[in-house]
Amino acid sequence: LASIEVDLAPVEEGQAITVMWRGKPIFIRHRTEKEIEEAKEVPLSELPDPEARNPNIDEGAPATDANRTAEGKEPWLIMIGICTHLGCIPKGQAPGDNKGEYGGWFCPCHGSQYDTAGRIRKGPAPENLWIPPYEFTSDTNIKIG
Ligand code: FES
């Protein structure tokens, strides 16, 4: 399928789901206030990859928290769940998963650590987790692809 629709209504704050799109896992996390605040507080100068990696906005845009989410929808972080190092699937979606030192995602293959905006913070991965092309089609529905 070229594109899929996902109903976000059942996903409560603090929960995450994974859906498949074009054979790739898509991580969807309904972030808590705390997770959003933590992501916003990080100075851009501390980010190994300064780019948003979001095809829905201008190429090369900075990796601010706002640029990693859709306008007005900042609790929803929607990303391709493939480590940008060598393609493993990071942990951090399931309850009880090791989310790493930055509370986001942790790649068990070689130890890359991603923050609550999915940005690489430590380890060998060169880029932030990529955002897929998507749009909100209603308040609680998204179309990916
Ligand atoms: Fe994720 Fe190497 S594939 S750290």
mmCIF file of all heavy atoms in Angstrom, residues 31 39-40 42-44 47 49-54 57 61-69 77 117 119 128 131:
data_model
loop_
_atom_site.group_PDB
_atom_site.id
_atom_site.type_symbol
_atom_site.label_atom_id
_atom_site.label_comp_id
_atom_site.label_asym_id
_atom_site.label_seq_id
_atom_site.Cartn_x
_atom_site.Cartn_y
_atom_site.Cartn_z
ATOM 1 N N ARG A 31 3.210 11.651 23.206
ATOM 2 C CA ARG A 31 4.158 12.071 24.233
ATOM 3 C C ARG A 31 3.482 12.778 25.415
ATOM 4 O O ARG A 31 2.486 13.475 25.248
ATOM 5 C CB ARG A 31 5.214 12.992 23.615
ATOM 6 C CG ARG A 31 5.993 12.319 22.499
ATOM 7 C CD ARG A 31 7.106 13.195 21.986
ATOM 8 N NE ARG A 31 6.597 14.443 21.419
ATOM 9 C CZ ARG A 31 7.376 15.474 21.106
ATOM 10 N NH1 ARG A 31 8.676 15.422 21.323
ATOM 11 N NH2 ARG A 31 6.859 16.559 20.580
ATOM 12 N N ALA A 39 12.382 17.543 25.437
ATOM 13 C CA ALA A 39 12.876 17.700 24.061
ATOM 14 C C ALA A 39 13.093 19.171 23.718
ATOM 15 O O ALA A 39 14.055 19.526 23.040
ATOM 16 C CB ALA A 39 11.893 17.064 23.077
ATOM 17 N N LYS A 40 12.201 20.021 24.201
ATOM 18 C CA LYS A 40 12.303 21.458 23.884
ATOM 19 C C LYS A 40 13.487 22.119 24.566
ATOM 20 O O LYS A 40 14.011 23.119 24.074
ATOM 21 C CB LYS A 40 11.029 22.167 24.327
ATOM 22 C CG LYS A 40 9.885 21.956 23.375
ATOM 23 C CD LYS A 40 8.706 22.796 23.805
ATOM 24 C CE LYS A 40 7.633 22.774 22.753
ATOM 25 N NZ LYS A 40 6.405 23.393 23.234
ATOM 26 N N VAL A 42 16.461 21.001 25.044
ATOM 27 C CA VAL A 42 17.791 20.657 24.551
ATOM 28 C C VAL A 42 18.307 21.736 23.598
ATOM 29 O O VAL A 42 17.657 22.036 22.602
ATOM 30 C CB VAL A 42 17.753 19.305 23.798
ATOM 31 C CG1 VAL A 42 19.145 18.933 23.312
ATOM 32 C CG2 VAL A 42 17.164 18.216 24.674
ATOM 33 N N PRO A 43 19.471 22.332 23.896
ATOM 34 C CA PRO A 43 20.020 23.306 22.955
ATOM 35 C C PRO A 43 20.401 22.619 21.646
ATOM 36 O O PRO A 43 20.928 21.497 21.654
ATOM 37 C CB PRO A 43 21.287 23.815 23.665
ATOM 38 C CG PRO A 43 21.202 23.341 25.074
ATOM 39 C CD PRO A 43 20.314 22.132 25.077
ATOM 40 N N LEU A 44 20.111 23.280 20.532
ATOM 41 C CA LEU A 44 20.404 22.667 19.232
ATOM 42 C C LEU A 44 21.890 22.355 19.086
ATOM 43 O O LEU A 44 22.278 21.422 18.378
ATOM 44 C CB LEU A 44 19.943 23.578 18.093
ATOM 45 C CG LEU A 44 18.425 23.771 17.963
ATOM 46 C CD1 LEU A 44 18.105 24.678 16.787
ATOM 47 C CD2 LEU A 44 17.714 22.436 17.811
ATOM 48 N N LEU A 47 23.014 18.769 19.613
ATOM 49 C CA LEU A 47 22.509 17.690 18.758
ATOM 50 C C LEU A 47 23.563 17.267 17.735
ATOM 51 O O LEU A 47 24.016 18.090 16.938
ATOM 52 C CB LEU A 47 21.251 18.152 18.023
ATOM 53 C CG LEU A 47 20.064 18.528 18.907
ATOM 54 C CD1 LEU A 47 18.946 19.110 18.047
ATOM 55 C CD2 LEU A 47 19.551 17.324 19.686
ATOM 56 N N ASP A 49 23.078 15.557 15.096
ATOM 57 C CA ASP A 49 22.494 15.812 13.774
ATOM 58 C C ASP A 49 21.589 17.027 13.894
ATOM 59 O O ASP A 49 20.520 16.960 14.498
ATOM 60 C CB ASP A 49 21.681 14.597 13.302
ATOM 61 C CG ASP A 49 20.999 14.859 11.965
ATOM 62 O OD1 ASP A 49 21.317 15.875 11.314
ATOM 63 O OD2 ASP A 49 20.135 14.044 11.580
ATOM 64 N N PRO A 50 21.985 18.167 13.310
ATOM 65 C CA PRO A 50 21.212 19.400 13.484
ATOM 66 C C PRO A 50 19.978 19.516 12.598
ATOM 67 O O PRO A 50 19.253 20.493 12.679
ATOM 68 C CB PRO A 50 22.235 20.490 13.124
ATOM 69 C CG PRO A 50 23.156 19.837 12.149
ATOM 70 C CD PRO A 50 23.230 18.382 12.548
ATOM 71 N N GLU A 51 19.746 18.516 11.726
ATOM 72 C CA GLU A 51 18.636 18.639 10.774
ATOM 73 C C GLU A 51 17.381 17.884 11.234
ATOM 74 O O GLU A 51 17.478 16.804 11.816
ATOM 75 C CB GLU A 51 19.064 18.130 9.398
ATOM 76 C CG GLU A 51 20.160 19.003 8.805
ATOM 77 C CD GLU A 51 20.413 18.705 7.346
ATOM 78 O OE1 GLU A 51 19.528 18.162 6.662
ATOM 79 O OE2 GLU A 51 21.522 19.032 6.884
ATOM 80 N N ALA A 52 16.230 18.464 10.902
ATOM 81 C CA ALA A 52 14.948 17.911 11.358
ATOM 82 C C ALA A 52 14.625 16.552 10.736
ATOM 83 O O ALA A 52 13.884 15.769 11.321
ATOM 84 C CB ALA A 52 13.820 18.893 11.076
ATOM 85 N N ARG A 53 15.153 16.286 9.539
ATOM 86 C CA ARG A 53 14.877 14.995 8.854
ATOM 87 C C ARG A 53 13.379 14.758 8.710
ATOM 88 O O ARG A 53 12.878 13.658 8.952
ATOM 89 C CB ARG A 53 15.527 13.824 9.596
ATOM 90 C CG ARG A 53 17.021 13.994 9.878
ATOM 91 C CD ARG A 53 17.866 14.040 8.649
ATOM 92 N NE ARG A 53 19.271 14.350 8.937
ATOM 93 C CZ ARG A 53 20.166 14.642 8.024
ATOM 94 N NH1 ARG A 53 19.833 14.655 6.736
ATOM 95 N NH2 ARG A 53 21.401 14.926 8.345
ATOM 96 N N ASN A 54 12.716 15.838 8.338
ATOM 97 C CA ASN A 54 11.256 15.807 8.216
ATOM 98 C C ASN A 54 10.864 16.238 6.807
ATOM 99 O O ASN A 54 10.943 17.418 6.474
ATOM 100 C CB ASN A 54 10.652 16.743 9.264
ATOM 101 C CG ASN A 54 9.137 16.753 9.215
ATOM 102 O OD1 ASN A 54 8.516 16.194 8.309
ATOM 103 N ND2 ASN A 54 8.530 17.396 10.203
ATOM 104 N N ILE A 57 8.460 19.364 5.866
ATOM 105 C CA ILE A 57 8.831 20.774 5.956
ATOM 106 C C ILE A 57 10.063 21.006 5.080
ATOM 107 O O ILE A 57 10.539 20.086 4.410
ATOM 108 C CB ILE A 57 9.099 21.204 7.420
ATOM 109 C CG1 ILE A 57 10.248 20.380 8.020
ATOM 110 C CG2 ILE A 57 7.835 21.053 8.257
ATOM 111 C CD1 ILE A 57 10.705 20.867 9.381
ATOM 112 N N ALA A 61 15.823 22.019 7.475
ATOM 113 C CA ALA A 61 15.298 22.781 8.615
ATOM 114 C C ALA A 61 15.926 22.244 9.909
ATOM 115 O O ALA A 61 16.254 21.063 9.996
ATOM 116 C CB ALA A 61 13.780 22.657 8.678
ATOM 117 N N PRO A 62 16.131 23.127 10.900
ATOM 118 C CA PRO A 62 16.785 22.690 12.125
ATOM 119 C C PRO A 62 15.935 21.701 12.939
ATOM 120 O O PRO A 62 14.712 21.706 12.854
ATOM 121 C CB PRO A 62 16.996 23.985 12.916
ATOM 122 C CG PRO A 62 16.015 24.946 12.347
ATOM 123 C CD PRO A 62 15.792 24.551 10.917
ATOM 124 N N ALA A 63 16.624 20.879 13.722
ATOM 125 C CA ALA A 63 15.975 19.788 14.453
ATOM 126 C C ALA A 63 15.350 20.245 15.768
ATOM 127 O O ALA A 63 15.549 19.641 16.821
ATOM 128 C CB ALA A 63 16.984 18.663 14.701
ATOM 129 N N THR A 64 14.580 21.329 15.701
ATOM 130 C CA THR A 64 13.835 21.725 16.900
ATOM 131 C C THR A 64 12.729 20.711 17.152
ATOM 132 O O THR A 64 12.331 19.976 16.239
ATOM 133 C CB THR A 64 13.177 23.104 16.701
ATOM 134 O OG1 THR A 64 12.300 23.001 15.564
ATOM 135 C CG2 THR A 64 14.213 24.193 16.453
ATOM 136 N N ASP A 65 12.202 20.723 18.371
ATOM 137 C CA ASP A 65 11.100 19.807 18.652
ATOM 138 C C ASP A 65 9.918 20.110 17.727
ATOM 139 O O ASP A 65 9.289 19.196 17.192
ATOM 140 C CB ASP A 65 10.677 19.905 20.119
ATOM 141 C CG ASP A 65 9.691 18.811 20.476
ATOM 142 O OD1 ASP A 65 10.078 17.629 20.398
ATOM 143 O OD2 ASP A 65 8.535 19.122 20.779
ATOM 144 N N ALA A 66 9.628 21.396 17.540
ATOM 145 C CA ALA A 66 8.491 21.777 16.680
ATOM 146 C C ALA A 66 8.653 21.244 15.259
ATOM 147 O O ALA A 66 7.677 20.810 14.632
ATOM 148 C CB ALA A 66 8.339 23.293 16.658
ATOM 149 N N ASN A 67 9.872 21.256 14.761
ATOM 150 C CA ASN A 67 10.112 20.790 13.394
ATOM 151 C C ASN A 67 10.077 19.271 13.259
ATOM 152 O O ASN A 67 10.134 18.739 12.154
ATOM 153 C CB ASN A 67 11.456 21.305 12.887
ATOM 154 C CG ASN A 67 11.380 22.754 12.456
ATOM 155 O OD1 ASN A 67 10.295 23.297 12.272
ATOM 156 N ND2 ASN A 67 12.534 23.379 12.307
ATOM 157 N N ARG A 68 9.996 18.590 14.369
ATOM 158 C CA ARG A 68 9.922 17.126 14.353
ATOM 159 C C ARG A 68 8.474 16.644 14.435
ATOM 160 O O ARG A 68 8.199 15.450 14.366
ATOM 161 C CB ARG A 68 10.732 16.554 15.527
ATOM 162 C CG ARG A 68 12.222 16.919 15.491
ATOM 163 C CD ARG A 68 13.045 15.997 14.644
ATOM 164 N NE ARG A 68 12.955 14.637 15.147
ATOM 165 C CZ ARG A 68 13.265 13.560 14.424
ATOM 166 N NH1 ARG A 68 13.668 13.692 13.179
ATOM 167 N NH2 ARG A 68 13.165 12.360 14.951
ATOM 168 N N THR A 69 7.548 17.578 14.636
ATOM 169 C CA THR A 69 6.136 17.220 14.780
ATOM 170 C C THR A 69 5.316 18.091 13.823
ATOM 171 O O THR A 69 5.862 18.955 13.144
ATOM 172 C CB THR A 69 5.663 17.452 16.232
ATOM 173 O OG1 THR A 69 5.954 18.803 16.615
ATOM 174 C CG2 THR A 69 6.377 16.508 17.203
ATOM 175 N N LEU A 77 4.507 12.241 18.079
ATOM 176 C CA LEU A 77 5.775 12.062 17.380
ATOM 177 C C LEU A 77 5.634 10.829 16.493
ATOM 178 O O LEU A 77 5.339 9.734 16.979
ATOM 179 C CB LEU A 77 6.913 11.885 18.391
ATOM 180 C CG LEU A 77 8.309 11.777 17.778
ATOM 181 C CD1 LEU A 77 8.676 13.042 17.010
ATOM 182 C CD2 LEU A 77 9.341 11.507 18.865
ATOM 183 N N ALA A 117 12.386 13.445 21.157
ATOM 184 C CA ALA A 117 11.972 13.915 19.835
ATOM 185 C C ALA A 117 12.560 13.002 18.761
ATOM 186 O O ALA A 117 12.524 13.326 17.572
ATOM 187 C CB ALA A 117 12.416 15.362 19.604
ATOM 188 N N ARG A 119 15.685 12.294 18.272
ATOM 189 C CA ARG A 119 16.955 12.809 17.735
ATOM 190 C C ARG A 119 18.121 12.030 18.325
ATOM 191 O O ARG A 119 18.137 11.731 19.520
ATOM 192 C CB ARG A 119 17.096 14.298 18.068
ATOM 193 C CG ARG A 119 15.972 15.136 17.459
ATOM 194 C CD ARG A 119 15.983 16.539 17.969
ATOM 195 N NE ARG A 119 15.811 16.603 19.425
ATOM 196 C CZ ARG A 119 15.477 17.704 20.094
ATOM 197 N NH1 ARG A 119 15.268 18.827 19.435
ATOM 198 N NH2 ARG A 119 15.349 17.685 21.405
ATOM 199 N N ASN A 128 19.165 11.715 12.914
ATOM 200 C CA ASN A 128 17.954 11.555 13.722
ATOM 201 C C ASN A 128 17.061 10.509 13.066
ATOM 202 O O ASN A 128 17.150 10.282 11.856
ATOM 203 C CB ASN A 128 17.220 12.899 13.809
ATOM 204 C CG ASN A 128 18.105 13.966 14.420
ATOM 205 O OD1 ASN A 128 18.874 13.689 15.346
ATOM 206 N ND2 ASN A 128 17.998 15.196 13.911
ATOM 207 N N ILE A 131 11.382 11.227 9.889
ATOM 208 C CA ILE A 131 9.932 11.395 9.931
ATOM 209 C C ILE A 131 9.399 10.928 8.573
ATOM 210 O O ILE A 131 9.998 11.251 7.541
ATOM 211 C CB ILE A 131 9.572 12.896 10.116
ATOM 212 C CG1 ILE A 131 10.346 13.511 11.290
ATOM 213 C CG2 ILE A 131 8.073 13.100 10.223
ATOM 214 C CD1 ILE A 131 9.997 13.006 12.645
#
